[in-house]
Amino acid sequence: MCGIVGYIGPRDAAPILLEGLARLEYRGYDSAGIALVTAAGDLFVEKKAGKLANLRTALVDATPAAAIGLAHTRWATHGRPNDLNAHPHVDCSGDITVIHNGIIENFQELRDGLAARGHRLASETDTEALAHLVEEAYAGDLAAAVRAALGRADGAYAVAVMHRGEPGRLVGARLNVPLIVGLGDGESFLASDVAAVLAHTNRVVFLEEGDVADLTADGVTITGVDGVPRERLVNVIDWSIEAAEKGGYAHFMLKEMHEQPGAIRAATAGRLHGDEVRVDELAPIADRLAGIERIELVACGSANYAAAVAGYLFQDWLGIPVRNTVGSEFRYSPPPLDERTLVIAVTQSGETADTIAPTRYAREQGCPVVAVTNTVGSAITRDADAVLFLQAGPEIAVVATKTFVTQVTTLVLLGAALAKARGRLPRDRERELVAELRALPAKAERALQMSEPAAILARRYVNSRGFMFVGRGVGYPVALEGALKLKEVSYVHAEGYAAGELKHGPISLLDVEVPLVAVATRSSLQEKLVSNVMEGRARDARVIAVATEGDEAVRAYADDILWVPETIEALSPILAVIPLQLFAYHTAVARGTDVDQPRNLAKSVTVE
């Protein structure tokens, strides 16, 4: 969600902070602001609703030189997105500045108390309360004041705080919301994401829950909220800033779709040995796998649809009950959990609050937990017994593309490893699976050749009133993901359904202005799917099919076809989703929407 950048060092802070915000734009935001402490000791604050360009315009010829500062992009939770509610927020004295990601759950109680004690609160935000709490606690030591203030706040936060009377110091803290420290040569950085600092340093400390970081230009000291010192490792990031640039593509989304073959290859690297699957990351729970009696998959958004694919496969391969649940619902109607229930949490960022909370609940019930994530050092990696990294590289576009296909790929590998550990993966099936996984990157390259046909269809159907996506079996989650991609980036209404459900209500929406998009690759349920599609066709709905190359029978019921190479049914979602991603992208381009930063969306949802 919101973006945080802080800098302290010998250089002019403002350009570094604005550059950092630009690299965090993909997270989604609706306002931006900056605070600087000048050499004269003055506090300069500017903030504007809307895009970062609005802030840049306001700063033209008005930005003072400063060696320390904070900057923020806000995704509104408490208070409308406007100039007043934008961060940074300042205390009554005008000395203390705070920026914050997350939600302070007891903010109203805090605000009421502050107002009663004579504080003047100018905004509608929960964050402003923190600035005044730090003000009340301040006695010459900024870090101590921040610790005291956070001790009174309930909820989730990544905060960065600055005092104009201590121009050599920044303080940051995190609880359930990501925050990192970047360590340069005589300069230090705070940020909500590595991308914001990677142009300046690849040495990063991932702050952990309850950490309070006290930064100077020479380094960082970390304590808990209780003031007790904590030791944290310095990580060296092994991907370059160029990996997060567009590389000649019109949009990050397009670039990342074309990175999918390489991402699939990376996801399988080290997990395929000859004609065998081996997932060494499961070693910490290897002795518990034979006793697993049930699996719970927990995820949100696109990750939930990847988990749904796994749900179909795991139940078939393992012969035990498997359920996938939206993370935000899991804790409020939890199933019986114990040490014989394996919980698999799927989250691209590793910081999704609605996935982390049920994961922690499962740990409390004694469940072994496996995390599937793309982000080293993220919160989920510290809550899990075993971690499988996607190895997809940075994904900058808000909408998930390469992380969805690598989630499915990684979950397939996980399912195969679990089946093997339980003696339920026959050697012939394992050899076939490995052969197809090795062939998958090249097949994904061929699926990407549907870009121009998808662009033609996007222009043909751009004025449609809505779209209905359908699939059966593992094709059903692909239909859900295809519909999600379309509505996320193009703002066209789209729904995904199990194809057999059409006649139970949704068919009433179909007509010549509402096309039916069918995930119709070869499968054990293909004949059933065709029957359902024909029901829609009889209601004058035009049919767009994603079909397997060489399956000429599709032409009998589809008006338009996007072809993908043939593979085994378990891997078909990985290829079938690619033309749907391309169709969503080209529809968005045709409609002129903001492809990489769709309205109202954030890349990482770090609040419940």
Side-chain angles (χ1 to χ4, degrees):
M1 301 184 77
C2 317
I4 285 176
V5 188
Y7 174 77
I8 182 169
R11 294 188 282 166
D12 190 12
I16 295 170
L17 296 172
L18 292 172
E19 174 199 42
L21 288 187
R23 296 193 186 281
L24 296 179
E25 283 191 288
Y26 72 93
R27 295 170 66 91
Y29 69 101
D30 44 50
S31 59
I34 190 171
L36 304 164
V37 175
T38 69
D42 297 322
L43 179 64
F44 172 87
V45 176
E46 184 65 79
K47 47 190 185 175
K48 290 292 180 183
K51 293 297 186 183
L52 184 57
N54 295 348
L55 177 62
R56 288 185 182 276
T57 299
L59 292 173
V60 172
D61 300 325
T63 310
I68 181 172
L70 300 172
H72 188 265
T73 48
R74 175 179 187 248
W75 188 83
T77 54
H78 295 74
R80 294 182 61 81
N82 56 32
D83 290 359
L84 189 64
N85 290 326
H87 299 207
H89 290 287
V90 181
D91 73 319
C92 297
S93 69
D95 292 332
I96 295 164
T97 312
V98 175
I99 58 179
H100 162 236
N101 294 351
I103 291 178
I104 304 302
E105 293 176 353
N106 61 334
F107 81 100
Q108 194 59 58
E109 173 190 340
L110 295 173
R111 285 176 63 97
D112 291 345
L114 288 163
R117 294 191 295 276
H119 290 267
R120 302 181 305 278
L121 287 91
S123 76
E124 304 169 278
T125 69
D126 55 336
T127 301
E128 189 181 2
L130 290 176
H132 295 275
L133 290 177
V134 175
E135 175 191 1
E136 286 190 336
Y138 187 74
D141 184 337
L142 183 60
V146 171
R147 287 193 292 265
L150 294 177
R152 300 170 62 183
D154 298 330
Y157 55 75
V159 298
V161 188
M162 184 171 66
H163 193 296
R164 73 186 183 99
E166 296 190 56
R169 195 176 193 187
L170 288 178
V171 177
R174 74 156 280 171
L175 183 67
N176 298 325
V177 180
L179 190 68
I180 64 102
V181 173
L183 300 174
D185 185 9
E187 57 187 3
S188 299
F189 306 82
L190 270 175
S192 47
D193 195 310
V194 171
V197 305
L198 202 54
H200 309 288
T201 181
N202 66 345
R203 297 174 62 241
V204 169
V205 176
F206 294 98
L207 297 181
E208 299 185 16
E209 306 302 7
D211 282 356
V212 178
D214 190 354
L215 280 74
T216 67
D218 296 322
V220 62
T221 301
I222 299 174
T223 68
V225 174
D226 58 5
V228 175
R230 295 181 173 184
E231 294 294 328
R232 295 288 178 249
L233 294 175
V234 177
N235 299 267
V236 178
I237 304 303
D238 61 3
W239 50 273
S240 67
I241 194 62
E242 287 74 21
E245 300 291 353
K246 290 181 185 176
Y249 288 92
H251 299 94
F252 282 114
M253 182 181 176
L254 184 61
K255 171 179 180 276
E256 288 157 6
M257 286 189 291
H258 281 273
E259 289 174 344
Q260 288 179 127
I264 294 167
R265 191 175 292 108
T268 60
R271 294 165 178 160
L272 302 179
H273 297 263
D275 60 359
E276 295 184 38
V277 173
R278 193 170 75 208
V279 180
D280 295 334
E281 296 96 324
L282 294 177
I285 58 170
D287 59 343
R288 305 177 68 178
L289 297 180
I292 295 300
E293 296 178 356
R294 193 171 76 254
I295 293 178
E296 294 283 338
L297 290 142
V298 184
C300 301
S302 289
N304 184 51
Y305 300 148
V309 172
Y312 281 99
L313 300 177
F314 287 15
Q315 192 154 277
D316 177 36
W317 293 356
L318 302 177
I320 59 176
V322 180
R323 187 180 75 150
N324 75 285
T325 307
V326 176
S328 56
E329 294 294 319
F330 187 92
R331 284 188 301 160
Y332 306 108
S333 182
L337 298 172
D338 57 31
E339 68 278 1
R340 295 180 299 278
T341 305
L342 176 64
V343 173
I344 301 170
V346 189
T347 159
Q348 182 278 137
S349 68
E351 302 284 355
T352 306
D354 287 326
T355 303
I356 290 172
T359 301
R360 291 175 177 166
Y361 175 80
R363 284 292 299 274
E364 292 169 1
Q365 309 309 307
C367 303
V369 173
V370 175
V372 177
T373 184
N374 197 40
T375 310
V376 176
S378 58
I380 200 76
T381 65
R382 295 186 288 276
D383 293 328
D385 298 292
V387 181
L388 276 66
F389 290 108
L390 305 182
Q391 305 176 140
E395 186 174 67
I396 304 302
V398 166
V399 297
T401 53
K402 66 175 178 175
T403 54
F404 175 82
V405 301
T406 52
Q407 282 167 347
V408 176
T409 303
T410 304
L411 286 165
V412 166
L413 289 160
L414 173 58
L418 294 174
K420 191 172 181 179
R422 297 170 64 86
R424 291 184 57 93
L425 184 64
R427 282 291 294 133
D428 58 343
R429 177 184 285 186
E430 183 178 14
R431 283 192 289 267
E432 179 187 41
L433 177 62
V434 170
E436 285 298 319
L437 283 167
R438 292 192 186 281
L440 202 57
K443 292 183 178 182
E445 289 277 11
R446 281 164 51 195
L448 285 164
Q449 294 174 10
M450 285 293 103
S451 185
E452 185 54 33
I456 293 170
L457 294 189
R459 293 189 290 270
R460 183 177 301 162
Y461 290 98
V462 69
N463 294 318
S464 298
R465 193 172 72 246
F467 290 80
M468 192 81 70
F469 287 68
V470 295
R472 297 198 72 140
V474 293
Y476 170 39
V478 177
L480 293 170
E481 173 66 6
L484 177 63
K485 284 288 133 329
L486 184 62
K487 55 192 166 190
E488 280 182 313
V489 296
S490 72
Y491 315 150
V492 174
H493 184 72
E495 293 292 339
Y497 283 96
E501 285 293 292
L502 272 181
K503 55 185 174 291
H504 295 288
I507 200 168
S508 65
L509 295 173
L510 294 179
D511 60 27
V512 70
E513 294 182 350
V514 180
L516 188 63
V517 183
V519 181
T521 50
R522 285 199 181 103
S523 73
S524 56
L525 295 174
Q526 188 175 17
E527 290 184 1
K528 295 288 187 183
L529 175 78
V530 172
S531 296
N532 302 139
V533 171
M534 294 303 288
E535 294 165 357
R537 190 176 177 86
R539 274 74 181 177
D540 296 325
R542 292 176 290 177
V543 175
I544 303 170
V546 176
T548 304
E549 289 174 352
D551 187 3
E552 293 300 316
V554 176
R555 298 188 188 277
Y557 62 85
D559 297 279
D560 295 287
I561 305 170
L562 295 168
W563 300 101
V564 295
E566 185 162 14
T567 188
I568 58 175
E569 190 170 351
L571 300 181
S572 62
I574 297 166
L575 299 180
V577 78
I578 293 174
L580 299 182
Q581 296 169 346
L582 292 165
F583 180 70
Y585 169 79
H586 287 295
T587 301
V589 171
R591 290 173 58 85
T593 62
D594 191 339
V595 173
D596 288 332
Q597 299 169 48
R599 67 188 182 200
N600 303 332
L601 297 183
K603 181 65 176 172
S604 176
V605 182
T606 55
V607 296
E608 292 187 78

